[in-house]
Amino acid sequence: MLLAVSAVAAGAVTVLGADTGWRLALALTVAYALPMAVYNRQSWSTAGGHYVLLATWLLMSAISVENVMVWTAPDGASAEWPLFESDSRGYYAWALHYYDGRCDAPPVAFPGLPFMMLVLWKLFGVNVVWPVAMNVCFTLLAIVIAAMTTVRLLRGRELARPDRWLGNAALVCGMLLFFLLSESTCVLKEAAIALSMSAVALVLAVFVTDRHLRVKHYVAFVAACLLLAFTRTTYMYFVLLALVIIAMGNYKTHLPHTLLLVVLALIAFVAGDSVAYYSFERHVSIISGGERMQRLFMVGPNQQPYLDMVGNYFTYPIWRRLLLLPLSCSVQFIIPFPWIYDGWTSLHEVAARCGFGWYAVGGTALFYYGAMSWRQRYKLGAWAWVPALIFATIAYTTAGSVSRYALPVEVMFIPVAVWVMSCVCHDLSLRRLFIVWAILFVIVLTITLIVCHDIQVTYLNNLNEYYKQRAAHYRDSIQSIPDSLP
């Protein structure tokens, strides 16, 4: 542990200078200490789990150091005023405006993340390292809570491995979600959403296993809902969906308690919606689709081949979009593609493109839904369908074109994947079936990626050739203009 912290501190100071480097190293150390303290409180914690969590933290720390370097390297940029693009720039400017009014406040859809940045700055001063470390902390906490959910959900089952094995396996699965780890080192809201969804999943796991909740569980549920409602209010619909699924699993025993959770979730939703930039009416338009959604999604050149395939998806009737759900879910599952066209760009980009970890976790979870969920011996009950239906809902709403929206849900698949691995270790017949599934999954995935790569390369080459022809035509036009005009 001491060697790891020393290495991070030395790297940060070397790359960023003494002031910013030490601040980031200290912030990242605190960000690691809180999840580790939560993990140490678990009776099933092990030395191996510590090493997995430490390795995850080291990877996120390395990406964080590089990100801060990139943001502060351009002329005029600094750790106090980094150079951001897209959503991060808006969050940062919003927080700066309400900190000392040095810039105008841009419209921010959900103010939860910039408000937390503002609180950090009131405590420690304006610096980009604080929100970065906060997101690292949130992500590590989400992974630890996913491990807690795994142990809680699987403990005592006939085919379940010991608690320590379950916990360690869950931590390894969390470490493999490289896209989530990469995005969570940026000033974005995915880390906070992942923490919220992971905490909600844990409370629901306690609910379905113990048949009741204690006060601390209600407090955790309310805290998770408030964080989610102010960070991305629309995800509260997924919480309500999860509660409906759990209630349907056993409505006689679950319905009264579920109604209380629904009321608490609705209160949090109303609170978050009251300060959001757009409100319930915009939510309806997002779900229903239409020309506005068509203009907002699938607009980049890299997504043009997919747009050519599905056409005006957002203007289709509901039944037609439901028929396309297998395709949209598949696209959401495999993107971002595990390759980079321009060679090495950054550790952040490379980590985001290492989708093989998610393919392993997600593919293992898929085996449960296809081969185990309908067999009494292997059933996990209604809880296991929560992440699957949320994932499908996101794919339906966005045509699967923005995989970043599904990142916070990936941690909820961890207990399902670990359950499959546990059953496969015990059951020989299931192991044989899983081996066949794994081989077929790898073959289909490989063929799909090869086809997608060829389609995208062909399209981009044609696009480049088109722009070259346009540039040549423009040059010829300029040269044909006489030197003197009447």
Side-chain angles (χ1 to χ4, degrees), residues 42-315:
Q42 310 308 311
S43 60
W44 40 266
S45 62
T46 66
H50 283 93
Y51 288 125
V52 172
L53 203 58
L54 182 61
T56 308
W57 174 75
L58 283 172
L59 174 60
M60 296 189 73
S61 296
I63 301 174
S64 299
V65 171
E66 183 191 56
N67 284 346
V68 174
M69 178 192 70
V70 171
W71 298 333
T72 58
D75 293 338
S78 65
E80 186 174 334
W81 198 301
L83 180 63
F84 279 133
E85 296 179 356
S86 190
D87 293 346
S88 299
R89 179 170 54 190
Y91 299 143
Y92 208 87
W94 189 97
L96 280 177
H97 171 80
Y98 287 101
Y99 181 78
D100 59 10
R102 71 179 70 180
C103 62
D104 295 332
V108 171
F110 310 105
L113 176 62
F115 178 77
M116 288 186 286
M117 293 166 54
L118 177 62
V119 172
L120 289 173
W121 291 348
K122 291 294 185 180
L123 296 174
F124 307 112
V126 177
N127 200 300
V128 71
V129 303
W130 311 128
V132 169
M134 177 185 69
N135 279 349
V136 171
C137 182
F138 283 174
T139 307
L140 294 176
L141 272 174
I143 293 173
V144 171
I145 293 175
M148 296 166 61
T149 304
T150 302
V151 174
R152 169 71 71 163
L153 202 60
L154 307 184
R155 175 185 290 162
R157 293 179 178 269
E158 178 187 355
L159 299 178
R161 302 280 287 181
D163 289 356
R164 293 187 174 186
W165 187 96
L166 297 173
N168 288 344
L171 292 178
V172 171
C173 288
M175 183 179 65
L176 294 176
L177 303 179
F178 295 113
F179 188 22
L180 174 62
L181 302 183
S182 176
E183 290 298 290
S184 297
T185 60
C186 302
V187 183
L188 296 170
K189 47 186 179 289
E190 272 62 39
I193 301 172
L195 175 59
S196 302
M197 298 300 292
S198 189
V200 169
L202 175 59
V203 173
L204 296 182
V206 174
F207 188 22
V208 298
T209 54
D210 292 358
R211 308 297 182 188
H212 69 279
L213 296 174
R214 300 180 181 177
V215 174
K216 64 179 181 180
H217 299 131
Y218 285 107
V219 172
F221 180 81
V222 171
C225 287
L226 287 174
L227 177 60
L228 188 61
F230 283 94
T231 303
R232 195 178 195 107
T233 313
T234 48
Y235 274 61
M236 285 302 299
Y237 293 116
F238 300 142
V239 175
L240 296 173
L241 174 62
L243 293 173
V244 171
I245 296 171
I246 295 300
M248 292 175 61
N250 191 334
Y251 68 92
K252 291 182 179 179
T253 59
H254 290 165
L255 186 58
H257 302 283
T258 304
L259 289 176
L260 176 57
L261 293 176
V262 167
V263 170
L264 295 174
L266 287 175
I267 293 173
F269 173 84
V270 172
D273 189 59
S274 65
V275 297
Y277 182 68
Y278 54 80
S279 192
F280 179 77
E281 293 77 11
R282 176 71 179 276
H283 303 170
V284 174
S285 67
I286 291 174
I287 296 172
S288 59
E291 292 294 339
R292 181 180 178 86
M293 291 288 287
Q294 192 73 37
R295 292 193 302 268
L296 293 176
F297 290 90
M298 292 190 289
V299 294
N302 289 343
Q303 294 181 324
Q304 187 61 43
Y306 181 44
L307 179 60
D308 295 338
M309 186 184 304
V310 299
N312 295 323
Y313 173 88
F314 297 100
T315 63

Side-chain angles (χ1 to χ4, degrees), residues 297-298 306 310 313-314 327-329 331-332 394-402:
F297 290 90
M298 292 190 289
Y306 181 44
V310 299
Y313 173 88
F314 297 100
L327 174 63
S328 58
C329 284
V331 170
Q332 185 170 269
I394 296 174
Y396 168 84
T397 306
T398 66
S401 62
V402 190

Side-chain angles (χ1 to χ4, degrees), residues 10 86 89 133 138 159 178 207 336 344-345 353 357 364 380 453 456:
S86 190
R89 179 170 54 190
F138 283 174
L159 299 178
F178 295 113
F207 188 22
W344 178 275
T345 55
R353 297 287 176 172
T364 303
L380 278 178
H453 181 270
Q456 201 164 20

Side-chain angles (χ1 to χ4, degrees), residues 1-11 22 25-26 29 32 54 57-58:
M1 171 63 186
L2 182 60
L3 289 176
V5 172
S6 300
V8 170
W22 280 115
L26 178 61
T29 302
Y32 173 72
L54 182 61
W57 174 75
L58 283 172

